[in-house]
Amino acid sequence: MLEKLNKVEERFEAVNEKLCQSDIVADMEQYKKLMQELKVLTPVVEKYRQLKAAEASLAEAKDLLEQGGLEKDFREMVREELESSEQQVQQFKEELKILLLPRDPNDDKNVIVEIRGGAGGEEASLFAGVLFRMYSMYAETKGWKCEILNSNPTELGGFKEISFIIEGEGAYSRLKFESGVHRVQRVPETESQGRIHTSTVTVAVLPEAEEVDVEINPADLQIDTYRSGGAGGQHVNKTESAIRITHIPTGTVVECQDERSQYKNKDRAMKILRSKILEAEKEKQLDAIAGERRAQVGTGDRSERIRTYNYPQGRVSDHRINLTLYKIDSILNGDLDEIIDALVTADTAEKLRSED
């Protein structure tokens, strides 16, 4: 670990030097890349320097005690310093182990979230709307921007499907564990007997792919325009602003109809398409690696049941980490940090076990 930390510190110094060079400052793209790298290196270097300072204090305290001849009060003070430094050294080493774990390169990216009603008909569609609201409110608490890309609303106010983008620093790092099947247990308003119904909704979370991440040949695309459907309004069905893009080699189809401008819909549809193709490539790579570590918090497979929202009991249970919280109202109002923090901790613990 020491050798790795020395290399990180050397790179940190080299990046800082480069950022002071006028030719680098003039090259916005390179400057941006170096600033991003510096952001990743800084917490590691700061913690490593704290470790070195604690180790120096520890060595000094040991030397003083070994030399002997200290007055009683001063000796006691040195002993306390030694104990404190020992604890700090251990703590900093553990924190550095976590900081040195391989980073998910997508963690800082924006996310595209797709929610679809599963089993349960209209009740599933209504809960899809509840989940969309939950993620929108969570994004708001983080100061992130949330925009609908495409939606298929139902007459009762739910969604058969809805896709949206959440833009903000670290959005993917927090929301990537949301992929999978979300199950809801509640009494529908239309249920006269008061029976609890179980419905499911699937959620897919994709990191937004940049153009440099995925190269798409325009010749591989079939682009169709059609008239937007949905709720009323004078504009609907008058112009063919909705866009459907088919990526012929993979058969991937995306649609976007929430903007009045055909250009904007096309731009958004391309964002979704790039992200879907990148995700498919990532899945292929994972499947190709024999014995690839599958995180405790799940594979991100949208067919995997990850969480249950039980209205009568007021509880939310995450099945991957056996966490149950009895605060369904606040969770559905966007209070997701307690669940997400627990998932991040479980994932980190699993990665540490894999490194040992």
Side-chain angles (χ1 to χ4, degrees):
M1 186 167 84
L2 192 62
E3 188 183 338
K4 194 185 274 190
L5 286 165
N6 283 328
K7 283 181 180 174
V8 169
E9 191 170 33
E10 282 170 19
R11 180 60 188 163
F12 175 81
E13 296 294 352
V15 170
N16 264 316
E17 277 180 36
K18 282 185 178 181
L19 285 166
C20 295
Q21 295 168 8
S22 56
D23 57 328
I24 297 289
V25 175
D27 185 342
M28 187 52 73
E29 194 173 326
Q30 200 175 354
Y31 183 79
K32 194 177 170 185
K33 277 183 184 174
L34 287 169
M35 284 300 292
Q36 192 63 37
E37 187 179 357
L38 187 70
K39 186 181 159 192
V40 174
L41 295 172
T42 299
V44 181
V45 172
E46 285 179 351
K47 193 61 65 180
Y48 180 38
R49 288 175 177 172
Q50 284 181 308
L51 172 65
K52 287 195 284 188
E55 285 177 333
S57 293
L58 180 62
E60 188 183 350
K62 279 182 178 175
D63 281 348
L64 284 168
L65 289 171
E66 283 169 9
Q67 287 168 19
L70 303 176
E71 289 183 9
K72 185 183 174 186
D73 286 350
F74 185 55
R75 189 173 66 245
E76 198 58 44
M77 194 170 74
V78 172
R79 272 211 188 96
E80 285 175 10
E81 178 64 29
L82 181 125
E83 285 175 16
S84 171
S85 296
E86 278 179 338
Q87 286 174 1
Q88 282 186 329
V89 165
Q90 193 56 40
Q91 180 191 333
F92 294 152
K93 280 182 177 177
E94 291 302 316
E95 288 173 0
L96 278 164
K97 269 189 201 174
I98 293 169
L99 286 169
L100 287 172
L101 285 172
R103 282 184 89 249
D104 185 334
N106 294 317
D107 273 354
D108 291 328
K109 291 189 174 180
N110 301 328
V111 293
I112 290 171
V113 184
E114 296 178 330
I115 302 175
R116 285 185 172 82
E122 187 59 50
E123 181 63 12
S125 297
L126 286 168
F127 194 63
V130 170
L131 289 186
F132 167 63
R133 179 177 174 275
M134 177 181 82
Y135 292 128
S136 302
M137 292 181 80
Y138 181 64
E140 198 177 319
T141 66
K142 295 290 176 190
W144 298 337
K145 185 181 171 189
C146 179
E147 277 188 62
I148 295 174
L149 298 171
N150 195 45
S151 63
N152 187 352
T154 64
E155 288 180 6
L156 294 181
F159 293 98
K160 286 180 182 173
E161 59 184 339
I162 181 168
S163 59
F164 51 99
I165 187 167
I166 292 178
E167 298 175 347
E169 193 174 323
Y172 184 73
S173 70
R174 299 295 289 170
L175 292 171
K176 62 185 174 183
F177 303 115
E178 294 301 301
S179 283
V181 175
H182 295 243
R183 184 175 68 168
V184 60
Q185 294 172 322
R186 64 180 178 182
V187 179
E189 288 179 19
T190 53
E191 171 57 60
S192 57
Q193 304 294 317
R195 288 173 298 195
I196 296 170
H197 285 226
T198 299
S199 308
T200 59
V201 170
T202 62
V203 174
V205 179
L206 313 172
E208 184 190 10
E210 307 290 334
E211 283 188 51
V212 291
D213 296 332
V214 181
E215 196 175 317
I216 296 175
N217 185 345
D220 290 338
L221 301 178
Q222 179 185 319
I223 301 175
D224 301 305
T225 59
Y226 60 99
R227 293 181 180 181
S228 299
Q234 293 180 352
H235 178 78
V236 173
N237 294 331
K238 289 197 177 177
T239 60
E240 295 198 342
S241 60
I243 291 281
R244 181 185 297 108
I245 301 179
T246 305
H247 184 246
I248 297 161
T250 61
T252 307
V253 180
V254 296
E255 294 181 354
C256 204
Q257 62 168 349
D258 267 56
E259 288 288 340
R260 294 189 175 190
S261 155
Q262 190 182 105
Y263 173 79
K264 280 187 181 175
N265 279 327
K266 185 180 176 184
D267 182 55
R268 287 180 163 191
M270 284 301 295
K271 277 185 181 179
I272 303 173
L273 182 65
R274 277 196 293 269
S275 298
K276 284 194 169 186
I277 291 172
L278 184 68
E279 187 71 7
E281 281 299 312
K282 195 172 80 175
E283 285 299 317
K284 231 185 273 180
Q285 287 166 10
L286 283 177
D287 292 340
I289 300 169
E292 173 68 31
R293 179 187 69 83
R294 293 291 185 173
Q296 181 185 335
V297 294
T299 62
D301 188 336
R302 68 191 75 180
S303 65
E304 177 186 14
R305 193 191 75 189
I306 63 164
R307 196 175 296 150
T308 295
Y309 305 78
N310 185 297
Y311 276 71
Q313 295 176 18
R315 69 172 167 85
V316 176
S317 300
D318 198 290
H319 307 296
R320 297 162 292 180
I321 52 173
N322 296 320
L323 173 70
T324 295
L325 300 173
Y326 287 88
K327 54 175 195 176
I328 192 168
D329 290 339
S330 63
I331 287 169
L332 292 175
N333 282 327
D335 182 10
L336 285 171
D337 273 334
E338 189 172 353
I339 293 178
I340 290 173
D341 286 341
L343 289 163
V344 170
T345 301
D347 186 55
T348 303
E350 183 67 21
K351 283 177 181 167
L352 285 168
R353 276 196 291 275
S354 300
E355 290 283 307
D356 291 341

